[in-house]
Amino acid sequence: MTVILTACTMRKRFSPDPALIAASLSKGSLHSVGQDWRSRIAKAVGVAEARDLYAGRGMMEAKKAAAEAKATLFIASAGLGVVEASDMIPSYDLTVAKGLPSSIMSKLPPGTTEEGWWDQIAMKEGVARFNARLKRDQAQLLVALPASYLKMLGRFLKAVPAFKEGRLRVFTGSEHYEIDPELKPYQMPYDRRLDGGPTPGTLGDFAQRALRHFVTEILPVSPREDAKGHAQQVIMAQSGWTRPVSKSGIRLDDGELLKTIRIEWDSVQGRSTQLLRKLRDELGIACEQGRFARLAATVRAERAQP
């Protein structure tokens, strides 16, 4: 048995519950803000199963990986804690990514960590179900997360049985983030050659694309291999791939790029991955992933207003 843990996405198929918008919270202590948010969640009504609420290629790749591996899929949510893909959940607008209008970190005291926020919203029931799944048949845990979520879940991951027993594998595309030294031995060493290999994509869905390659090409061949052996197989698989050549594009300032995003938004029905590709590939505009996410979130918030 396999358990997959991936990250939620900012893009959702339903508008957020008006009470579940991080920007509407008052600033306060970690405890007071967490308590306020938890009380709001307790009153909220689920609108869709988690697997259907979150949109974007990263989630699509995670769902395909779970189907191919016959795995149980869990989602780490900055607003809800650990949820199973089949859970009915409310729509909300909250992230731990700094600099965005929906960032919860702007409501918390300086120095507050992502791990601190996770401790506030990782509900006991969700964590208990997650751990129960891991204990069943000594399941392997495959974790596909961006840097901000690895920071948020670091302590949590090191407390699960799969970590202590060597059954953890970590996938991330954040090359500039130094992963926790205790988790490092379990990181599968996928690099940008994946983008020039079988599953090209963007940084935003890199972790999930690496996960899917692992469950389709590595895990079936050697399901009982240890982390070191799996890492060596990943290195060998990438030996025949090459990093894609970076193309220089037109440089726009934030105001110009925002205007372009607004103009092109409807042409891709607000799909972030497709919009970023259109900017880069069709319009020839240079746009870093994090910068695009920040500006796209601004446009999404504008369009959500009545």
Side-chain angles (χ1 to χ4, degrees), residues 27 42 64 86 111 123-124 140 145 207 212 221 250-251 278:
K27 291 184 177 181
K64 286 182 177 179
S86 58
M123 309 300 182
K124 290 181 179 179
Q140 193 152 56
L145 298 173
R212 189 177 174 203
V221 177
I250 303 167
R251 298 281 176 182
K278 184 170 186 178

Side-chain angles (χ1 to χ4, degrees), residues 10 98-101 254 258 289-299:
M10 291 183 63
K98 297 175 181 177
L100 299 178
D254 280 5
L258 264 174
Q289 177 83 18
R291 182 183 178 217
F292 170 79
R294 173 171 57 82
L295 297 177
T298 298
V299 175

Side-chain angles (χ1 to χ4, degrees), residues 63-84:
K63 290 192 291 187
K64 286 182 177 179
E68 289 165 5
K70 295 181 174 57
T72 302
L73 177 62
F74 282 87
I75 299 164
S77 162
L80 304 175
V82 181
V83 296
E84 194 166 348

Side-chain angles (χ1 to χ4, degrees), residues 13-213:
R13 292 192 171 90
F14 294 85
S15 298
D17 184 321
L20 300 182
I21 297 175
S24 70
L25 295 170
S26 299
K27 291 184 177 181
S29 67
L30 176 59
H31 176 72
S32 66
V33 175
Q35 188 174 47
D36 186 4
W37 183 256
R38 290 193 305 272
S39 68
R40 295 180 184 212
I41 290 294
K43 299 173 186 175
V45 177
V47 295
E49 291 187 358
R51 64 176 137 234
D52 297 324
L53 176 67
Y54 299 111
R57 184 178 176 185
M59 186 57 63
M60 178 186 72
E61 291 287 340
K63 290 192 291 187
K64 286 182 177 179
E68 289 165 5
K70 295 181 174 57
T72 302
L73 177 62
F74 282 87
I75 299 164
S77 162
L80 304 175
V82 181
V83 296
E84 194 166 348
S86 58
D87 287 350
M88 287 291 294
I89 62 173
S91 186
Y92 60 95
D93 186 17
L94 182 149
T95 180
V96 291
K98 297 175 181 177
L100 299 178
S102 56
S103 177
I104 190 62
M105 305 309 287
S106 66
K107 302 295 181 179
L108 303 173
T112 302
T113 65
E114 292 89 344
E115 281 187 324
W117 175 249
W118 179 256
D119 290 341
Q120 291 292 313
I121 51 92
M123 309 300 182
K124 290 181 179 179
E125 180 184 350
V127 172
R129 281 196 298 148
F130 178 71
N131 285 333
R133 287 284 185 179
L134 285 176
K135 291 176 182 177
R136 191 179 302 172
D137 301 324
Q138 294 294 288
Q140 193 152 56
L141 174 59
L142 310 181
V143 175
L145 298 173
S148 58
Y149 276 69
L150 278 175
K151 290 179 183 177
M152 184 169 69
L153 274 74
R155 187 164 54 232
F156 171 78
L157 291 174
K158 289 186 290 186
V160 300
F163 167 76
K164 299 172 184 177
E165 297 165 9
R167 293 183 280 113
L168 173 67
R169 304 291 181 267
V170 176
F171 307 84
T172 185
S174 308
E175 289 186 323
H176 301 296
Y177 165 63
E178 189 58 39
I179 191 171
D180 186 312
E182 293 182 73
L183 296 176
K184 186 72 174 175
Y186 303 106
Q187 181 184 3
M188 296 296 97
Y190 286 94
D191 58 36
R192 289 296 173 273
R193 285 175 291 178
L194 180 68
D195 297 337
T199 54
T202 67
L203 179 60
D205 51 49
F206 184 96
Q208 291 82 5
R209 286 185 289 119
L211 163 72
R212 189 177 174 203
H213 177 268

